Amino acid sequence: MGHPFHPDDFPIKEDVVLQPTRVFYLKGCIHFKQTAQIIDLSGQMRAPFQGDFSHAFLDEAEQVASKLAQNGSAPAYEIKSSGNMMRTLKTITDGRSGDKVCDLNITFVSFGSSTVRFPPGSPHSRHEIELAPVGGRGFDDRKHEAFVRHSIPYFWDMTRGRVGILYKCLNQQRVEVGRVAGYGFDKDAVLVLNGDEVDDVVAISTCIITLNGRDAMDA
């Protein structure tokens, strides 16, 4: 069943441009089976983000992430699976403390919903987040995923191929608060977001679900 919210109900606020405050490199986070890492690049990028991903920005993100790993820096978050297939429960942990941040339960069927479950007292969300396709109004609906956090609707728009856009709904309009692009032979991705408008764990977890969901197949 599609999500009751639909992007057509929230026109895009064109005069608001994404101003990222956070940059993350999602290492091995696409179609992974056992482990993956999320590396925080915030404040370490020289190439500016100018509305969309340039080759220079993506290349520098990979280089900075590799250098941090070589220097022994812990990732911001790690993802571990309960088994060795994509269709298993994923747990995101803090890369430094090892504490659980959330669990991902990813669906692979076109009409199902995926969930992000947070521990009690989590600073990232007061409730479980359900990510589902929007209601059927057109061909591209299956490429839009909707979720609600703290009574505010969000949409992941995956209609642009390798680039996905995260919108937050404010005053009956959609405002872009994040953007992701695949990199590295479709195994890695780079995520930028406005940390003043969206929680980083909420953005990362829903992004990973969107990148690994309905069209993914176990090899």
Side-chain angles (χ1 to χ4, degrees), residues 32 84-90 106 108-109 216-218:
F32 69 102
N84 61 357
M85 300 182 72
M86 286 192 297
R87 302 185 187 206
T88 54
L89 184 70
K90 312 290 186 185
I106 306 174
F108 291 84
V109 294
M217 295 293 291
D218 289 325

Side-chain angles (χ1 to χ4, degrees), residues 4 17 73 130 141 147 161 191 195:
V17 179
S73 298
E130 180 182 31
D141 282 357
F147 66 93
L191 172 67

Side-chain angles (χ1 to χ4, degrees), residues 1-5 105 111-118 125 127-133 145-149 154 206 209 214:
M1 180 177 179
H3 206 287
F5 293 105
N105 192 347
F111 52 84
S113 62
S114 298
T115 56
V116 185
R117 295 188 177 95
F118 300 88
S125 180
H127 56 82
E128 175 181 299
I129 289 176
E130 180 182 31
L131 193 71
E145 299 277 340
F147 66 93
V148 175
R149 174 184 179 264
Y154 294 79
T206 56
I209 287 175
R214 306 172 197 288

Side-chain angles (χ1 to χ4, degrees), residues 60-71:
E60 185 186 354
E62 191 277 332
Q63 292 164 9
V64 173
S66 296
K67 185 176 181 179
L68 289 172
Q70 291 168 5
N71 291 340

Side-chain angles (χ1 to χ4, degrees), residues 9-186:
D9 299 329
F10 301 89
I12 296 173
K13 189 171 176 58
E14 302 286 357
D15 60 343
V16 176
V17 179
L18 175 62
Q19 300 288 345
T21 62
R22 309 295 304 276
V23 182
F24 294 94
Y25 193 82
L26 280 54
K27 178 69 175 176
C29 286
I30 302 178
H31 297 179
F32 69 102
K33 295 184 179 180
Q34 292 183 306
T35 61
Q37 297 182 328
I38 295 97
I39 302 167
D40 190 355
L41 310 182
S42 305
Q44 303 191 61
M45 296 285 294
R46 290 178 299 175
F49 182 83
Q50 298 178 321
D52 206 346
F53 293 103
S54 65
H55 290 297
F57 187 90
L58 293 171
D59 289 343
E60 185 186 354
E62 191 277 332
Q63 292 164 9
V64 173
S66 296
K67 185 176 181 179
L68 289 172
Q70 291 168 5
N71 291 340
S73 298
Y77 305 104
E78 291 187 287
I79 310 177
K80 301 177 182 178
S81 301
S82 59
N84 61 357
M85 300 182 72
M86 286 192 297
R87 302 185 187 206
T88 54
L89 184 70
K90 312 290 186 185
T91 298
I92 297 182
T93 60
D94 186 291
R96 294 168 180 82
S97 68
D99 294 340
K100 180 190 287 191
V101 176
C102 62
D103 288 323
L104 311 183
N105 192 347
I106 306 174
T107 186
F108 291 84
V109 294
S110 61
F111 52 84
S113 62
S114 298
T115 56
V116 185
R117 295 188 177 95
F118 300 88
S122 170
H124 304 291
S125 180
R126 297 191 297 266
H127 56 82
E128 175 181 299
I129 289 176
E130 180 182 31
L131 193 71
V134 301
R137 296 188 191 176
F139 176 76
D140 283 336
D141 282 357
R142 63 187 178 86
K143 296 182 180 179
H144 286 89
E145 299 277 340
F147 66 93
V148 175
R149 174 184 179 264
H150 300 173
S151 303
I152 298 176
Y154 294 79
F155 295 99
W156 270 109
D157 179 349
M158 305 302 290
T159 60
R160 300 169 184 248
R162 290 172 59 87
V163 175
I165 299 176
L166 177 60
Y167 290 104
K168 181 179 183 178
C169 296
L170 297 169
N171 300 319
Q172 297 300 309
Q173 291 183 299
R174 274 182 289 159
V175 176
E176 183 177 351
V177 296
R179 188 173 286 228
V180 66
Y183 185 83
F185 301 101
D186 294 327

